Every structure is written in structure tokens, then in C-alpha cells.
Amino acid sequence: MKNGNSVFSRFEVQKYILAKNLKRDLPASIVVFLVALPLCLGIALASGAPLFAGLITGVIGGIVVASFSGSQLSVSGPAAGLTAIVLGAIATLGSYPTFLLAVVLAGCIQIILGIVKGGTIGNYFPSSVIEGMLAAIGLTLILKQLPHALGVDSDFFGDESFAQGDSANTFSALTSAFSHFGLAAIVISGLSIVVLILWPKFKKLAVVPAPLVVVLLGVGLTFLFRGTPYALGDKHMVEIPVVSGWSEFLGLFTTPDFSQILNTKVWIVAATIAVVASLETLLSLEAVDKIDPIKRVSPTNRELIAQGTGNIVSGLVGGLPMTSVIVRSSANVNAGGRTKMSAIFHGTWLLLSLLFIPGLINMIPLACLAAILLVTGYKLTRIALFKHMYHKGWDQFVPFVVTIIAVLLTDLLKGVGVGMIFSIFYLLRTNMRNPFFYRIKEDGDKRNLRITLAEEVSFLNKAAIAVVLNKIPKETNVIIDGSNSRYIDPDVLETIFNYKHNAYTKGIIVNLVEIKKNYTVPKLNNKIIEEINSN
């Protein structure tokens, strides 16, 4: 009975949380749906896959992945960072069904990574790099959506990379947009931005989400401009496939070619997708947790299992590989989402729009959606963030800025990699300078030097310790104190023992205090582990 009551109470708590947050999650899901819709289409187009594949991936990312995920705010779907891999893989494997098999296998690999605790790699990304990635995503959104806000919609809406397929880049596309702008799009995007900024300031009006008002405003202004020289064309509108019935809808699905299971190329593509998608997911998850107003921490290993499950389902029905996507996730946070129901609802809206209201969705101008992303981008890269990182010191500010520049000029993974290199450089420099502290005491003509080692002394500290030891003057009494040290690396121990052995040639007497001949890597106390598991 006790266990039954416990289960019942947990169910009641979940029910209460769902009802309490529904007023936030439902409006947020509409915003995420409106942002995800053109992104799904654009990424499918860029990947050389059917447009339906992008939409069905968004549906699965919303409904399936969010259901299994432990993250409350992360939103999954097709990612721009995988477009080049997908495009090349389809060409290499020769057919789309064979590629779908690789997607299924990639999902299986991700589940294995989650089971063996591969998600812990996400804990090793420095906060300065994650903050830089978020700011870079914000700037990328602004730079990429400005052309759409100006009415230049020649490239696809989901492109987030710096280089373009037509030898142009982000900046050249932006320059071109300023010389080919459309008045109607500028009016729509301008008024949309004003509404997004001012609407939430009025508490009585804020019951209706501002992005929804923006979409309705965009549709209304589109009708207003019809019949004028400034009317928007089809390329300036959202465009999703129109299906006339269930039979036509079911005919859009594609199944994997399992006869290619022994094809080596399929496994190589699967491994590539699994690794890249997992890294992007972990980066996005870390970033979303940072902007979560409640500051919840998402379980990374569970997320890999959720992503793997989503990719298996996506591959089985003809979809693209997916990741947790920071653009959609940040839009979810900024729209006020609180639980995973927002992501689940957004996937449901994608499915319903494809089935029942494709004509209505196709009436939404890209300019008003661009306005939503412009405001989201500004919130991610606000000036206050730069000031905050600057005041934290150069070891935080430099990797932060370098990550921003690198992401803008390359892509997400490469940019984060460059930021990590700079962050590691500052980490190494700090470690080399702080392995110990020492005190010199004069006793007549004799010098007494006491070197107290840090709690953790790694091989990174070897060089700094060796430099100090080699600079100790002749005729000095040296005490090397390891009483505070839980671990001393073997390389450092070798340096210390060798120095003691040879110091007598300089008249130096070396005494070692509580320094063992070998140390084992410290582990978590079993009692602590039990407490963690019980919670």
C-alpha cells in the first residue's frame, strides 16, 4: 500500500506540474513550431533529401526524442551542421534508402554511447566556450535572417554555415540583400520586431504570445500588399508539401534498404553521423542548460539514448538524422517554455499542419519568422554578455571571443574546437603556475626553502616544478612538503626524486615530507556514490 501511495503521489505531482506549466508550454510550442517549420524544409533542401524528410524528422524530434529525453527545454530536429555530411553520404551510398539504413545504425551507435556513459564528455566543455557558442549562434541568426527580413529569400532558410554553395558567404549575401530589398518584407519584419519588444510589456495583452501576434500580423499585411507593386511572391512565403489524403501522405514515407547491412561504406557513414550528431547534441544541451531560467541540469547519457531512439525511428520512416538544436531550443526558452511538453506539442503541430492546414501555413511570410529569430539572436548575444565575460578575466574572455569568431567563419563544431584549443592553453598556463607555493626563510648565511605541493599535481605541473628546483641556489636547505597532496603524477615524482638524488653536488640538502613513491588516482568515496544513486 505504501508503494502504491508513493506511485500515486508521483503521478499526481507530474499531473500538477503539467497543468501548472501548460499556460507557458502551449504558447511556446507554437513559437518553436513556427521557427522549426522553415528550418526543417531548408535543411532537407540543403541535404539533397525530400522536403517531407525534413518535416517528418522535426515531428519525430519533437514527439519521440522529447518523450525519452531528460531535458525539459531541448528541442530536436534536423540540424544544419549535418547537411554537408548528409549530402555527401547520399551521393556516396548511391541511394536514399541505403542512406536511411546508415541513419538507423547511427541511432543504434548513439544508444550504445549512452549506455556506456559517453555523454559525460559534455562536462569537459568550458563555460567560456559554451557562452561563446551561444553568442555566435545569436550573431549567426542575426546575420542569416537579415536578408529574409529585407525580403531577399533566394537561399534556403535553414543555412547556418558561413560559406555558401554558390561561392558566396554570409557577409556577401548580406551585402547583396541591402541592394535588393523589398518594401513589404521590411514593413512586416519591422512591425513584427516592434510587437515582439513591446507586446510583453503589457501584462493584459501578454496572455496572447507575441510571436503568434506577429504571425497573424504578417499574414494580414501580406494580404494588404496583394495587388500592389510591393506584393510578396511565393519564394517569400513558407512552403510545405500539400497532401490531399491519407494515401498520398503514406506514400511519402521511405524505408531503409536492409540488404546493404554488410556494406562497409554504410557503417562508416553511420559512425560519422553518430559521432557528429552526439557532439552537437551535447554542446546544445550544455548551452540550453545555461539559459534555462530554472537552471536544471539535463542527463547527458539519457539524452544520447533519446537521440539514438529518434534517429532509429527517423531512419525507418524516411527521415534525416537529428540532433538537439540550439536555435529551436533557445527559441523555446525565450518563448517561455518550461517542460518537455513544449517540444512534444511542437512536433504535434508539425504533423497536424502537414496533414490538415498546409495551405494556411503557406500563407505565412518568411519576414515575420525572420523577425522572431532576430529577436532570439539578440537575446543570445546581448552586449551585457560581452561585458560580463570581460570582467571575468582574459582566460575567460579570449576563448569566448575566439569561439564566436571561429563559429561565425566556419561552423559550430570547428568553431567550438578552436575555442577549446584556446581554453586549454589558458588551462595549461594556469596549471603550470599553480602546482605549489613556497616560502624562503633566512637563517644566518643559510637559506631554508619550503615548497608545499598542491592537492592535485599532474604531469602538466612538471615543467613549472622543474624550473623552480633548477633555480634554487647552492647551499640551501629544501623541504618539499606533500602532506596536502592527494595525488602526485609519476612524472613529477620522478623529477622530485631525481633532484633529491643529485642535489648534494650543489650543497643542497633535500627533505621530503609525506611524499609517497607512488599514488593512485583518487576516486569518489563509495558512500558518496551511493547517496548520488539513491537521489
Side-chain angles (χ1 to χ4, degrees), residues 2 175 230 260 268 351 390 477 486:
K2 184 177 180 181
T175 303
Y230 310 108
Q260 297 294 317
I268 293 173
L351 179 60
Y390 177 76
N477 291 331
R486 296 176 60 213

Side-chain angles (χ1 to χ4, degrees), residues 158-346:
D159 187 11
E160 296 170 17
S161 59
F162 179 75
Q164 306 297 308
D166 55 1
S167 299
N169 58 51
T170 299
F171 297 128
S172 62
L174 189 58
T175 303
S176 175
F178 279 107
S179 58
H180 298 88
F181 59 84
L183 180 62
I186 291 176
V187 172
I188 292 173
S189 59
L191 290 176
S192 296
I193 291 173
V194 171
V195 170
L196 288 168
I197 294 172
L198 297 180
W199 190 268
K201 295 182 183 297
F202 300 94
K203 291 185 178 181
K204 291 183 179 180
L205 296 177
V207 177
V208 181
L212 180 58
V213 177
V214 163
V215 169
L216 296 176
L217 176 66
V219 173
L221 289 174
T222 300
F223 278 104
L224 188 64
F225 280 108
R226 280 188 179 178
T228 71
Y230 310 108
L232 296 175
D234 292 339
K235 68 178 182 179
H236 302 300
M237 314 297 288
V238 171
E239 183 180 357
I240 64 173
V242 178
V243 291
S244 57
W246 279 104
S247 58
E248 188 176 346
F249 174 70
L250 294 175
L252 295 172
F253 290 92
T254 308
T255 55
D257 181 4
F258 286 100
S259 66
Q260 297 294 317
I261 190 70
L262 299 179
N263 188 336
T264 306
K265 292 181 179 179
V266 171
W267 284 95
I268 293 173
V269 169
T272 303
I273 291 173
V275 171
V276 175
S278 297
L279 283 174
E280 286 210 19
T281 292
L282 294 174
L283 287 169
S284 177
L285 206 64
E286 183 80 11
V288 173
D289 285 348
K290 282 191 172 297
I291 59 177
D292 180 4
I294 309 177
K295 300 301 178 185
R296 290 163 289 191
V297 178
S298 304
T300 53
N301 295 312
R302 180 175 170 181
E303 185 65 25
L304 288 182
I305 294 173
Q307 294 291 331
T309 304
N311 276 321
I312 291 174
V313 176
S314 183
L316 288 174
V317 299
L320 298 169
M322 69 185 72
T323 72
S324 171
V325 186
I326 187 60
V327 174
R328 272 160 265 195
S329 302
S330 57
N332 186 26
V333 174
N334 290 322
R338 280 292 182 269
T339 73
K340 64 171 67 179
M341 290 308 302
S342 174
I344 294 174
F345 282 140
H346 119 274

Side-chain angles (χ1 to χ4, degrees), residues 317-514:
V317 299
L320 298 169
M322 69 185 72
T323 72
S324 171
V325 186
I326 187 60
V327 174
R328 272 160 265 195
S329 302
S330 57
N332 186 26
V333 174
N334 290 322
R338 280 292 182 269
T339 73
K340 64 171 67 179
M341 290 308 302
S342 174
I344 294 174
F345 282 140
H346 119 274
T348 305
W349 305 145
L350 283 172
L351 179 60
L352 293 177
S353 67
L354 181 63
L355 288 173
F356 301 112
I357 55 169
L360 183 61
I361 297 299
N362 289 341
M363 294 166 58
I364 301 174
L366 293 176
C368 67
L369 298 182
I372 295 173
L373 289 174
L374 283 172
V375 173
T376 298
Y378 173 75
K379 289 181 179 179
L380 289 174
T381 188
R382 60 197 184 281
I383 297 174
L385 175 62
F386 286 81
K387 292 181 179 178
H388 172 69
M389 295 305 296
Y390 177 76
H391 290 305
K392 291 180 74 171
W394 289 107
D395 59 330
Q396 296 291 310
F397 186 68
V398 172
F400 168 74
V401 173
V402 168
T403 302
I404 293 174
I405 296 172
V407 170
L408 286 176
L409 297 181
T410 55
D411 56 40
L412 185 67
L413 287 181
K414 291 177 183 176
V416 168
V418 173
M420 284 290 292
I421 291 172
F422 275 80
S423 186
I424 290 171
F425 166 76
Y426 278 99
L427 174 66
L428 293 176
R429 194 179 74 159
T430 301
N431 271 276
M432 288 177 65
R433 292 179 174 182
N434 297 291
F436 57 85
F437 67 90
Y438 61 87
R439 183 174 68 250
I440 300 175
K441 183 179 179 182
E442 298 284 350
D443 185 11
D445 295 334
K446 199 76 173 177
R447 284 186 175 183
N448 296 313
L449 174 64
R450 188 179 192 91
I451 299 174
T452 304
L453 299 178
E455 186 176 353
E456 303 284 343
V457 186
S458 74
F459 76 95
L460 299 174
N461 309 131
K462 177 183 175 181
I465 291 175
V467 168
V468 170
L469 293 177
N470 291 330
K471 287 184 177 181
I472 294 175
K474 295 179 180 180
E475 307 297 327
T476 303
N477 291 331
V478 178
I479 298 174
I480 302 178
D481 185 357
S483 57
N484 294 330
S485 301
R486 296 176 60 213
Y487 176 76
I488 302 177
D489 186 84
D491 286 350
V492 177
L493 287 173
E494 183 181 6
T495 300
I496 292 172
F497 289 130
N498 287 343
Y499 177 75
K500 179 184 179 182
H501 180 73
N502 298 319
Y504 74 94
T505 59
K506 296 181 180 180
I508 299 174
I509 300 174
V510 179
N511 290 312
L512 304 183
V513 178
E514 294 190 39

Side-chain angles (χ1 to χ4, degrees), residues 9-70:
S9 64
R10 284 201 300 270
F11 172 76
E12 288 295 318
V13 168
Q14 292 297 326
K15 185 178 178 181
Y16 170 75
I17 293 174
L18 176 62
K20 180 182 178 182
N21 291 292
L22 191 62
K23 62 182 180 181
R24 290 178 177 269
D25 290 333
L26 199 56
S29 70
I30 297 173
V31 175
V32 180
F33 156 67
L34 294 172
V35 170
L37 183 64
L39 288 174
C40 290
L41 295 170
I43 291 168
L45 181 64
S47 302
L51 293 181
F52 175 77
L55 289 173
I56 200 63
T57 307
V59 172
I60 295 168
I63 299 175
V64 176
V65 175
S67 299
F68 284 91
S69 173

